Amino acid sequence: MTHSYNRLSSETSPYLLQHASNPVNWYPWGDEAFKKAKAENKLMLFSIGYSSCHWCHVMEKEAFSNPDVAEFMNENYVCVKVDREERPDVDQIYMNAVQIITRSGGWPLNCFALPDGRPVFGGTYFPQQQWMDILKSLNHTWVHEPQKVKDVADELTQGVSSTEIILNKSSAGELSSGLLKGYVNSWSKSFDSRYGANKGAPKFPMPGSLQFLLDYSWVYSNDDVKKHVLFTLDKMLKGGIYDHLGGGFFRYSVDERWEVPHFEKMLYDNAQLLSLYTNAYKHSGNENYRSAVYQTIDFLRRELRSPEGGFYSAIDADSEGEEGKYYTFTKNDIDNILGDNSELFSIYYGITASGNHQGKNVLREEATMKETGCVLAIDEKEVAQKLKDARSRLFNMRATRVRPITDDKQLLAWNAMAISALAEAYTVFGDKRFLTDAYSCIGFIEDKLIRDDGSLNRVYCKGESSISGFLDDYAFLAQAYIDLYKASFEEQWLIKAQNTVEHSISKFFHDDSGMFYYTAEGHDNIIVRKMELTDGVIPSSSGVMADNLMVLGVYFNNEGYTDKARQLLWNIEDHLRKGGPFVYKWAHIYLKQLTGVAKVVGSETETKEVLNNLSKKVLHPFYVPAKSNSNSNIPSLNSSVADNHFSICIGRQCQKPINDKREVVEQINNAKPADLL
């Protein structure tokens, strides 16, 4: 029988509930914890993680479930548990602090702070004995030399306050093709020519960075960069980071070969990879990419879709206390389940008696169908059919195992990413189910996460909508609305995108710098308001907002939006000069500014299918499709275009309307300014 020892039992977050029966007297983030710390003059511990974090589970078992450790923590500290996915603002601040202290970061994130929240010391995972040593040493210093701790807090807080922040506008510059080429040339030195992506391990999929490189390769006709992107996508699809039985991608590969993943599955990864493989299909026509899109959408529907129409956040890496147990197979498993098909399957997927992960096998493509057929003297069609049958049998067997826990939080920003991905997939592949799924998800968001005044909540979980939205929630929602318009040509989505951006400007915009804060004013107990400037696996919310402003500036003929987007870019330009993959979203915006917009407006009688047929062939990175409507209040749509004709504007030059769809595509795809090449 499970007993509740602490205040987390009344929370909805699966991560917090995992700690609800710890003997540690955990508090959720909020006023109660801060009041207690100040009243009793105790240091605070902010322990930050998420439900599918393997090392969070390990530390919970080793330290936080230990009665002796818990007793010392309860007596000497006010202990606060934080779900980083619910409160990314808290995570950002204390991650900055730990990175200053240790030069590295990760989760679980454990940061000690003064009663007012200013950080004093921290790190990530600590084994039990080391954890106890830290608890005792820090408490001794606080009791006997408090000023020493306060001095450290002053210094650390100053450091945190000066990172990820821009307070003044940079002067407008001139766009330089040389800057962007230099950025990519510098970055390309770290490309991994053997396994794709960047050199080293672990390897994280970075969908946004690969999308930028794909668009860059098209604009500059750079075959080497294009080959690198497609090679990376091929390696991921063949590797263990892709779930060959159930579809979808795991979070990252622990090795450089994409062979053995960290087995958690995240909504944000799969949503972004859907977009990437959809766009890669446009550039390559590779049918494997189409299959990956369909299989990943099937995975989302089957395993992450909620009854309300949204998508859950993640699936844990562990089941029955073992990482990857649900997804891996011994050679005996394969033999027993597949019988006569075992040899063929083992050749194709590299199954061995010793395995490649703790004596078991992570499925990864080790041979081609042709090679497999040659070994067994059968043709490729027979190989394909036998593999299909084998995967089905293994999938059904796997479904009988104890399933990893699903984090049933539904996060606005991540669901918005899924909407964008589904809308893009509909545009390219024409499968109406994809648009239906996107509509279902936006309906969930509008029903559960948008307040009557238009402001947003971030989290919906177990029937409760909570936590005021952050900039990424607004930015990705606006992007989703734009992508819904591009897929359906229903004007309501553009109006909603504009309203979302206007709310963002009122809540997050900093006039003096022309930047956006990540948090709105009034978020509780935050020691500093930060900005999100650099890109990780998820692109920075500031970059996404700049992109939205550029696109809406075109649709609404709004120079104010365009100017804001350019100012954001000028403010971040120095980061591009320094290079590296962690400003890829800004590089993408820079690329779009260099190429200029390619806008196509179809006549009122044109169907969305015809317009989407153009979109799926256009490769221009700043393509803005529209459907005219003489009654529209949206300036760029309120134009007269003759039936079956298309108005084309590239940069600041507009062409005479034409009715040849092939010529429309050719004109746009050939619209590469000479100075870019």
Side-chain angles (χ1 to χ4, degrees), residues 29 33 65 88 175 236-237 278 300-301 332 359 441 473 499 653 657:
W29 180 272
S65 296
L175 293 167
M236 287 197 296
L237 267 189
T278 295
L300 291 178
R301 287 192 187 118
N332 284 338
C441 192
D473 297 302
N499 289 340
Q653 295 184 343

Side-chain angles (χ1 to χ4, degrees), residues 464-616:
E464 294 184 20
S465 180
S466 62
I467 304 177
S468 295
F470 301 102
L471 182 62
D472 57 338
D473 297 302
Y474 286 82
F476 284 110
L477 179 59
Q479 176 182 270
Y481 280 139
I482 291 168
D483 289 329
L484 283 173
Y485 174 76
K486 290 180 178 180
S488 68
F489 299 96
E490 296 169 3
E491 293 182 22
Q492 61 165 321
W493 304 123
L494 286 182
I495 300 298
K496 290 178 178 182
Q498 184 184 46
N499 289 340
T500 304
V501 166
E502 288 295 331
H503 273 283
S504 306
I505 293 169
S506 67
K507 287 176 174 292
F508 302 96
F509 194 65
H510 182 235
D511 287 315
D512 290 345
S513 64
M515 300 298 294
F516 288 89
Y517 283 111
Y518 183 69
T519 54
E521 283 191 83
H523 265 285
D524 55 324
N525 301 299
I526 296 298
I527 61 171
V528 61
R529 285 179 83 190
K530 306 282 288 178
M531 296 172 180
E532 196 173 56
L533 307 179
T534 54
D535 304 310
V537 174
I538 298 175
S540 68
S541 50
S542 296
V544 175
M545 190 58 75
D547 205 338
N548 293 334
L549 287 164
M550 285 169 54
V551 175
L552 293 178
V554 174
Y555 278 121
F556 288 90
N557 291 350
N558 189 320
E559 285 293 331
Y561 289 168
T562 302
D563 290 344
K564 279 183 169 63
R566 287 175 179 158
Q567 186 62 60
L568 284 157
L569 184 59
W570 299 137
N571 288 346
I572 213 79
E573 188 182 24
D574 277 349
H575 289 68
L576 287 173
R577 296 185 190 282
K578 295 172 184 175
F582 298 109
V583 283
Y584 61 79
K585 184 63 180 178
W586 298 104
H588 212 167
I589 293 167
Y590 203 98
L591 180 70
K592 292 178 180 181
Q593 290 278 357
L594 277 167
T595 58
V597 65
K599 184 177 74 171
V600 170
V601 182
S603 67
E604 290 191 53
T605 59
E606 218 56 82
T607 65
K608 68 181 178 184
E609 286 77 17
V610 168
L611 292 168
N612 284 335
N613 196 44
L614 295 178
S615 295
K616 72 181 183 182

Side-chain angles (χ1 to χ4, degrees), residues 69-87:
V69 175
E71 182 180 4
F72 191 86
M73 291 172 66
N74 294 339
E75 184 177 341
N76 297 286
Y77 296 89
V78 174
C79 304
V80 179
K81 258 292 167 193
V82 180
D83 184 332
R84 67 174 286 255
E85 295 165 355
E86 285 192 337
R87 294 302 301 255

Side-chain angles (χ1 to χ4, degrees), residues 92 96 160 162-166 529-534:
Q92 182 188 45
N96 279 170
V160 170
S162 62
T163 59
E164 291 281 302
I165 195 82
I166 292 173
R529 285 179 83 190
K530 306 282 288 178
M531 296 172 180
E532 196 173 56
L533 307 179
T534 54

Side-chain angles (χ1 to χ4, degrees), residues 243-246 295 302 329 337-338 341 345 349 363 384-400:
D243 184 351
H244 294 271
L245 299 185
Q295 290 166 8
R302 184 182 64 246
F329 299 87
I337 299 165
L338 299 184
N341 259 352
F345 191 87
Y349 284 111
L363 301 186
Q385 186 58 51
K386 286 180 178 292
L387 286 173
K388 182 179 179 181
D389 292 344
R391 285 193 296 267
S392 178
R393 291 172 67 182
L394 283 172
F395 176 80
N396 290 336
M397 178 272 169
R398 190 177 81 176
T400 67

